[in-house]
């Protein structure tokens, strides 16, 4: 008996948020859904995401009966959060770039937002910068290659450090790159690469993500809800698409999802 949360992402990036949620609420029952078939979201148009996600989350809500939904994807959150909230009954916690805490901690007043193109190009991010980092110089860098690198790492294939350097180096090589002291990891996949990012960085950088803040928000919302009397099923990960190979299943098990189910739609949904 208790509460159940649905954690949703385009792939394994939401595991970086799951880790924080489990630390705050170790008894919380979790269902994780990875929309592998449509990954990466960062290359998809806003129209495509808004057409797909509300209906998909509404269906998943019916299937998993969560008390709360965690949209553990920055691109989905800055693009379709309100549409999803309108389509489901459970409260939805989105993940947005941690621009506010980054601005509060930056001493040089120069920070970077490293996300997917589908995140850094959205007006939502421009508004965050205007509202919370108006006195800062903010550099934006979009990469979908880092999503693939994170998926490779978590699937046991290792990280191509040359690609990682190629994707991140332009941030620090530009006119103001040497002044950057804070980088917002605006994709839930990117904290999974934190060790590698620190390894290639030639300057001291504070890397910030939203995982801890999301966990505190989930804890706060659930604390105000009555506990369910139903018996919760074991934690489960549902993978929409063909990416359920043994190495990937092992990683999900390490994050507490012993039951991994591959869903193979006959056509893209």
């Amino acid at each position: 008996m208790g509460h159940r949360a649905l954690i949703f992402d385009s792939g394994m990036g939401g595991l970086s948020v799951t880790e924080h949620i489990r630390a705050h609420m170790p008894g919380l029952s979790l269902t994780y859904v990875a929309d592998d078939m449509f990954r990466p979201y960062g290359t998809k148009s806003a129209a495509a995401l808004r057409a797909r996600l509300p209906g998909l989350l509404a269906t998943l809500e019916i299937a998993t009966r969560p008390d709360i939904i965690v949209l553990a994807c920055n691109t989905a959150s800055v693009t379709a959060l309100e549409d999803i909230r309108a389509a489901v009954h459970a409260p939805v916690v989105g993940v947005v770039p941690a621009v506010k805490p980054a601005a509060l901690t930056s001493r040089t007043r120069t920070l970077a937002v490293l996300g997917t193109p589908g995140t850094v190009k959205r007006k939502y991010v421009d508004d965050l910068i205007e509202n919370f980092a108006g006195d800062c110089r903010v550099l934006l860098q979009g990469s979908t290659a880092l999503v693939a690198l994170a998926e490779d790492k978590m699937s046991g294939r290792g990280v191509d450090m040359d690609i990682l350097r190629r994707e991140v180096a332009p941030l620090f090589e530009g006119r103001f790159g040497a002044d950057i002291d804070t980088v917002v990891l605006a994709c839930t996949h990117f904290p999974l690469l934190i060790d590698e990012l620190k390894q290639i960085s030639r300057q001291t950088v504070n890397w910030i993500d939203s995982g801890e803040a999301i966990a505190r928000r989930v804890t706060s919302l659930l604390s105000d809800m009555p506990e369910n009397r139903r018996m919760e099923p074991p934690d489960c990960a549902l993978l929409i698409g063909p990416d359920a190979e043994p190495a990937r299943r092992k990683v999900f098990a390490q994050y507490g999802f012993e039951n991994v189910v591959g869903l193979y739609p006959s056509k893209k949904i």
Side-chain angles (χ1 to χ4, degrees):
M1 297 181 184
H3 293 120
R4 188 166 197 84
L6 168 63
I7 300 176
F8 178 88
D9 184 41
S10 63
M12 301 177 83
L15 292 175
S16 68
V17 177
T18 301
E19 191 171 28
H20 289 283
I21 291 175
R22 285 201 188 279
H24 277 257
M25 302 188 72
L28 180 63
S29 297
L30 300 176
T31 299
Y32 188 106
V33 176
D35 188 15
D36 294 315
M37 179 167 283
F38 212 59
R39 189 181 72 244
Y41 282 3
T43 62
K44 305 300 188 295
S45 68
L49 291 173
R50 290 181 181 130
R52 178 180 182 83
L53 295 180
L56 178 55
L57 267 297
T59 300
L60 292 171
E61 181 183 39
I62 294 171
T64 64
R65 298 187 300 162
D67 299 292
I68 195 167
I69 297 171
V70 180
L71 191 59
C73 173
N74 284 267
T75 300
S77 297
V78 302
T79 305
L81 182 57
E82 295 308 315
D83 301 274
I84 292 169
R85 282 175 171 161
V88 301
H89 298 284
V92 182
V93 177
V95 179
V96 298
V99 172
K100 182 177 180 179
L104 291 174
T105 58
S106 175
R107 294 183 177 182
T108 64
R109 316 311 295 155
T110 304
L111 54 97
V113 177
L114 179 63
T116 67
T119 295
V120 300
K121 293 181 179 179
R122 297 289 190 256
K123 184 179 182 299
Y124 192 106
V125 176
D126 294 336
D127 291 341
L128 285 176
I129 294 170
E130 180 180 351
N131 293 332
F132 300 114
D135 65 334
C136 296
R137 180 180 292 111
V138 183
L139 308 178
L140 303 176
Q141 178 83 357
S143 172
T144 54
L146 265 63
V147 174
L149 291 180
E151 290 284 332
D152 285 344
K153 177 182 178 179
M154 301 300 279
S155 298
R157 292 188 287 271
V159 176
D160 189 321
M161 298 300 286
D162 290 334
I163 295 177
L164 187 66
R165 290 188 185 92
R166 184 191 70 203
E167 294 294 305
V168 177
L171 268 181
F172 301 103
E173 294 175 351
R175 179 181 176 186
F176 302 107
D179 297 326
I180 295 172
D181 69 348
T182 307
V183 177
V184 177
L185 297 177
C187 173
T188 55
H189 277 83
F190 295 178
L192 301 174
L193 297 169
I194 189 62
D195 292 337
E196 290 78 8
L197 289 168
K198 290 179 177 178
Q199 182 179 334
I200 66 169
S201 178
R202 297 182 179 180
Q203 62 202 61
T204 302
V205 173
N206 183 22
W207 306 88
I208 296 181
D209 67 80
S210 302
E212 178 68 20
I214 296 305
R216 290 196 302 267
R217 180 60 175 158
V218 169
T219 301
S220 175
L221 289 172
L222 289 179
S223 66
D224 294 331
M225 295 183 190
E227 292 191 358
N228 296 306
R229 293 185 175 276
R230 67 176 185 257
M231 293 298 295
E232 296 292 351
D235 289 357
C236 179
L238 307 176
L239 312 185
I240 303 174
D243 296 341
E245 65 266 24
R248 213 157 178 263
R249 290 173 177 267
K250 182 178 179 181
V251 172
F252 275 104
Q254 292 170 350
Y255 280 82
F257 298 100
E258 295 287 347
N259 300 301
V260 180
V261 178
L263 305 177
Y264 307 99
S266 58
K267 62 180 180 178
K268 289 193 175 184
I269 60 174

